[in-house]
Amino acid sequence: MAILLPTLDQVNKLKVKPTAGEQKLLQFLDSTLDDTFEVYFQPYLNGDNPDVIVLRENSGAMIIEVKDYDLDSYELSENRNCVLKNIANKLGKKQVIKSPIQQVFEYKENLYNLHIETLLEKRIKNPKFLSIVTCAIYFHNASKNQIDTFLTKNNEENESYIKFLSHFEILGHDSLAPDTFKKILSNRWLDKKSYLFDETLYKSFKRYLAPSSHTVEQGKSINYTDEQERIIGSFAGRQQKVKGVAGSGKTLALAKRAVNAYLRHKGEVLILTYNISLRNYIHDKISEVREDFGWKYFTILHYHHFIKAHNNNVNFVKIEETDTQSQGKIFQTIIIDEIQDYQKEWISNVKMFLSDDGEFVVYGDEKQNIYQRTLEEKKPYTSISGQWNILKKSFRVTTDIANLATQFQKAFFSEKYEYDEIIVQRSLFDASMIKYHYLEDANIDQIMKIYDGFLSATGTHDNDVCFQSSRVELLRLVDKDIRDRLHKKTNTMFETLEVFDKLKADFTKAGVTDEKRLKKELETVRRHKKFNFWMNSGTTKLSTIHSFKGWEIPTLFLLVETERNDENEFTSDELIYTAITRCRQNLIIINICNHN
């Protein structure tokens, strides 16, 4: 028998019962497969919600989406989504439902592009890695022949579509026969050993599909200040907005508030950011809380992925850019970090997922409004009335860094925003350093000399260092030099120069580069890198200022480059302020011929 997670008994005790099709498939897999197969029902994928994933060590994985459709009620649209024949949408037109084939394909894409670390880079280097994850759709109320007819009607001559379908296993109720299914597994190499699906990849999948529980012993003893105590309590129906100066422990308080919310209602907590990588920083802070909880109760995502994943989970087809629908999960607690990055309609979309007595809390700082969102009375829009709860005491930054941030506010923000007093709680004698270097051009040798010299002189560990700039191009060169010249590993939120060169070569024919496809693939790589960025890697980090927003680092090398005509000015006050306030102790500014 297969290993089912959760077991059939546990599945039958869930609040939301499995559909008839899900129940039938689970029973079949349980009785047909041996114990080398693991079957995950509705696994935790941080936003994505596939029905079933079958995993086999040394072989691969299969994602199975289950549909209890009555095919007589549906027809295919021109772009091959499903259309309900007799049900109209809010515009009075036929209700369109996302194709289950596109739905399961998106789950697969996200495994590569987001969830499983290193899988995307492996796929780029070797396209054969695409074969280790197979997609299948099980139609419970139709035979295999009926489904094939439904999917190919009026498309028999469309060779590209027929080829696309061949990459998926289409299962009907008559496909759930042991011999038939074993043949399917054999065709997809799931009954054989694959040299591609090695132990490291298998453990990455397993770790993601079955998240562990967090125990009290794994947390830290944290003494919360009076300011923080006022905002960490969780209450039904409460709406609250919080602002914290640099280093005030805002994220620490957010994490405690999230855990307290779970302890209060035992339901899922939704935490949204705008910065993709910030989810991992929040995850780290939640792990420091000394309480018992399961990670499956915390969904931590950036806004756009949450909306996209939700729409895919409920087969929703977006008509307008801001379209979404709240069918599906409703949360008793929703927390938004970096609220100043949000547009007004996004907040309205998020609140559609809040229960009637739900708790809604936002955190933000208008001085980090690097995307120039519209403010209301010099403050971010939140939809919450009343005063802001302000954390004024800084425990992270030294007096030197706090003084620099304060002087910057007075010099550049006096007419834009209200002045924030930063009350430093660290010792006045804490060692700190602010250095300024001017270079006539982006000389990598000189940058490396400054970097290596600082580390040697101060004994600073690589894990405590980050390079930041407004653009990736220079950072790529610095990254390669650290790896090649100093023989050190690095941790970046963007592609290496080697990956960039390979992708550019892949998308170049007869000397002409397909810039559109290259840009799309680079965006995919960068999303993957950000989604899997963790702080304590033991290596020097490199990131754009935008991507590092919300994080912190003891030593920061800030590369100030000259502006280009095709971009917003690097020297926006908010961007510089954001970079400065990421630094806890040592700030080394390297100005590369920027006279502004």
Side-chain angles (χ1 to χ4, degrees):
M1 297 177 69
I3 300 172
L4 264 63
L5 299 165
T7 65
L8 281 176
D9 286 342
Q10 292 170 330
V11 168
N12 291 328
K13 292 176 182 177
L14 295 174
K15 289 182 180 179
V16 180
K17 303 298 181 186
T19 66
E22 290 168 343
Q23 186 80 36
K24 177 69 175 178
L25 178 64
L26 290 174
Q27 290 172 345
F28 172 76
L29 295 174
D30 184 43
S31 62
T32 303
L33 303 179
D34 61 37
D35 61 6
T36 63
F37 290 87
E38 300 162 31
V39 179
Y40 295 86
F41 177 62
Q42 295 181 349
Y44 173 87
L45 284 176
N46 211 355
D48 287 336
N49 191 29
D51 291 326
V52 174
I53 293 185
V54 178
L55 187 68
R56 189 168 190 257
E57 188 174 2
N58 297 318
S59 295
M62 176 183 281
I63 309 170
I64 308 177
E65 196 61 20
V66 181
K67 299 303 174 189
D68 289 50
Y69 292 171
D70 176 2
L71 293 186
D72 290 337
S73 300
Y74 293 84
E75 59 189 11
L76 281 186
S77 66
E78 289 185 7
N79 56 0
R80 288 178 284 280
N81 282 311
C82 295
V83 179
L84 280 163
K85 294 178 180 178
N86 301 315
I87 298 179
N89 61 17
K90 61 185 179 181
L91 300 176
K93 299 180 179 180
K94 288 183 178 181
Q95 179 65 51
V96 179
I97 296 174
K98 188 172 187 176
S99 161
I101 294 172
Q102 289 294 339
Q103 182 185 24
V104 74
F105 183 62
E106 190 165 313
Y107 288 141
K108 175 176 177 175
E109 280 192 318
N110 286 344
L111 282 175
Y112 283 82
N113 298 348
L114 294 176
H115 300 312
I116 307 300
E117 191 173 2
T118 75
L119 191 53
L120 176 63
E121 193 163 335
K122 289 178 183 293
R123 189 267 292 167
I124 290 172
K125 293 178 180 178
N126 183 357
K128 289 183 178 180
F129 273 92
L130 275 173
S131 66
I132 66 173
V133 179
T134 301
C135 294
I137 306 97
Y138 168 55
F139 291 85
H140 180 59
N141 294 319
S143 68
K144 176 74 164 74
N145 186 60
Q146 287 173 320
I147 304 160
D148 288 343
T149 300
F150 175 80
L151 293 174
T152 59
K153 186 178 180 180
N154 300 324
N155 288 285
E156 294 87 350
E157 305 302 318
N158 189 332
E159 292 183 6
S160 62
Y161 174 61
I162 298 300
K163 183 178 180 180
F164 177 69
L165 282 180
S166 71
H167 295 293
F168 300 82
E169 289 295 340
I170 309 299
L171 311 176
H173 54 65
D174 53 343
S175 303
L176 299 190
D179 289 344
T180 302
F181 197 75
K182 286 177 182 177
K183 185 176 180 180
I184 291 171
L185 294 178
S186 180
N187 291 340
R188 299 299 178 178
W189 213 263
L190 282 169
D191 64 342
K192 307 176 185 70
K193 186 171 182 177
S194 168
Y195 73 92
L196 298 174
F197 198 68
D198 59 20
E199 184 179 3
T200 301
L201 262 184
Y202 165 72
K203 288 182 177 178
S204 293
F205 271 78
K206 190 176 177 69
R207 185 168 54 249
Y208 217 93
L209 294 172
S212 61
S213 293
H214 179 280
T215 64
V216 169
E217 290 75 18
Q218 291 173 296
K220 296 181 178 180
S221 179
I222 301 172
N223 294 318
Y224 297 95
T225 66
D226 291 341
E227 283 184 340
Q228 293 167 343
E229 287 283 357
R230 288 197 294 269
I231 61 171
I232 62 177
S234 173
F235 303 92
R238 176 165 293 186
Q239 300 201 16
Q240 199 169 22
K241 48 190 178 182
V242 180
K243 174 182 174 179
V245 299
S248 62
K250 174 177 64 70
T251 310
L252 194 73
L254 181 157
K256 179 62 172 173
R257 176 73 170 259
V259 174
N260 284 344
Y262 161 72
L263 295 174
R264 173 175 62 82
H265 53 63
K266 302 298 182 184
E268 288 190 52
V269 176
L270 174 62
I271 304 172
L272 294 176
T273 69
Y274 180 76
N275 180 354
I276 297 174
S277 68
L278 191 55
R279 60 182 286 273
N280 297 333
Y281 182 60
I282 293 172
H283 182 284
D284 282 346
K285 292 303 178 185
I286 291 176
S287 70
E288 293 178 1
V289 178
R290 288 181 62 84
E291 297 287 356
D292 293 324
F293 56 83
W295 282 109
K296 66 181 180 180
Y297 294 104
F298 295 87
T299 296
I300 314 171
L301 286 171
H302 63 286
Y303 169 80
H304 289 95
H305 181 66
F306 169 71
I307 295 296
K308 184 181 179 184
H310 165 77
N311 288 345
N312 189 54
N313 290 334
V314 299
N315 296 95
F316 180 70
V317 177
K318 184 169 67 173
I319 301 171
E320 300 294 338
E321 183 61 29
T322 57
D323 275 359
T324 190
Q325 67 176 36
S326 60
Q327 172 194 340
K329 285 185 178 179
I330 294 294
F331 298 87
Q332 294 180 57
T333 298
I334 297 178
I335 298 172
I336 299 179
D337 197 13
E338 306 290 349
I339 191 69
Q340 75 278 350
D341 296 337
Y342 275 59
Q343 296 180 14
K344 203 169 185 177
E345 59 267 24
W346 300 354
I347 297 171
S348 299
N349 286 341
V350 170
K351 295 187 82 170
M352 292 169 59
F353 298 91
L354 187 66
S355 64
D356 291 340
D357 63 344
E359 174 184 24
F360 183 65
V361 191
V362 304
Y363 297 77
D365 179 2
E366 68 279 0
K367 294 179 182 64
Q368 296 185 45
N369 181 23
I370 62 176
Y371 301 103
Q372 302 298 309
R373 307 296 190 215
T374 302
L375 303 178
E376 294 189 352
E377 298 181 357
K378 297 185 178 182
K379 299 289 184 185
Y381 172 78
T382 66
S383 79
I384 302 172
S385 59
Q387 294 185 333
W388 286 75
N389 296 267
I390 300 178
L391 302 175
K392 294 182 178 180
K393 297 178 180 178
S394 177
F395 302 88
R396 182 182 78 204
V397 301
T398 62
T399 300
D400 289 340
I401 300 297
N403 287 341
L404 178 62
T406 298
Q407 292 168 18
F408 194 97
Q409 285 188 68
K410 291 178 178 178
F412 299 102
F413 291 155
S414 58
E415 296 182 5
K416 284 185 179 181
Y417 312 118
E418 296 175 4
Y419 164 70
D420 286 336
E421 180 183 11
I422 303 176
I423 304 172
V424 178
Q425 297 298 296
R426 292 179 61 168
S427 169
L428 291 172
F429 302 102
D430 280 349
S432 183
M433 188 182 300
I434 299 176
K435 293 285 187 180
Y436 178 86
H437 300 269
Y438 178 84
L439 303 181
E440 287 293 342
D441 54 29
N443 188 310
I444 299 298
D445 288 343
Q446 288 182 276
I447 294 173
M448 285 296 99
K449 185 177 179 180
I450 294 168
Y451 163 71
D452 197 35
F454 177 85
L455 266 61
S456 299
T458 61
T460 300
H461 194 282
D462 296 283
N463 192 57
D464 295 332
V465 177
C466 180
F467 275 89
Q468 289 183 42
S469 182
S470 64
R471 298 194 296 268
V472 166
E473 291 84 352
L474 178 58
L475 290 170
R476 271 199 306 251
L477 297 174
V478 173
D479 167 61
K480 190 172 191 306
D481 224 56
I482 292 174
R483 290 184 287 110
D484 289 355
R485 185 187 306 197
L486 303 180
H487 307 292
K488 294 181 177 182
K489 292 183 178 180
T490 58
N491 187 13
T492 72
M493 294 201 208
F494 50 86
E495 71 286 348
T496 64
L497 184 61
E498 295 90 335
V499 168
F500 174 82
D501 288 342
K502 184 182 187 307
L503 289 176
K504 187 170 183 179
D506 289 345
F507 295 119
T508 300
K509 291 185 179 180
V512 179
T513 301
D514 188 333
E515 297 292 347
K516 187 175 181 180
R517 290 181 65 197
L518 175 61
K519 180 181 178 182
K520 184 178 180 181
E521 188 75 339
L522 287 174
E523 287 173 350
T524 299
V525 173
R526 291 171 190 175
R527 269 197 306 273
H528 179 86
K529 298 283 282 187
K530 294 171 190 176
F531 212 81
N532 292 282
F533 178 88
W534 298 90
M535 181 58 72
N536 291 317
S537 59
T539 61
T540 294
K541 289 86 180 162
L542 298 97
S543 169
T544 62
I545 297 170
H546 298 77
S547 295
F548 205 78
K549 193 158 70 70
W551 290 83
E552 58 185 54
I553 195 76
T555 298
L556 172 63
F557 286 81
L558 177 59
L559 305 178
V560 181
E561 301 181 64
T562 54
E563 295 90 10
R564 297 187 308 212
N565 294 329
D566 62 342
E567 66 180 3
N568 293 327
E569 286 191 354
F570 166 67
T571 48
S572 74
D573 301 339
E574 289 82 3
L575 199 61
I576 292 288
Y577 183 79
T578 297
I580 290 171
T581 55
R582 298 309 93 211
C583 178
R584 290 208 303 260
Q585 190 170 352
N586 302 311
L587 176 63
I588 298 91
I589 300 170
I590 303 176
N591 183 350
I592 303 171
C593 199
N594 188 319
H595 298 288
N596 295 328

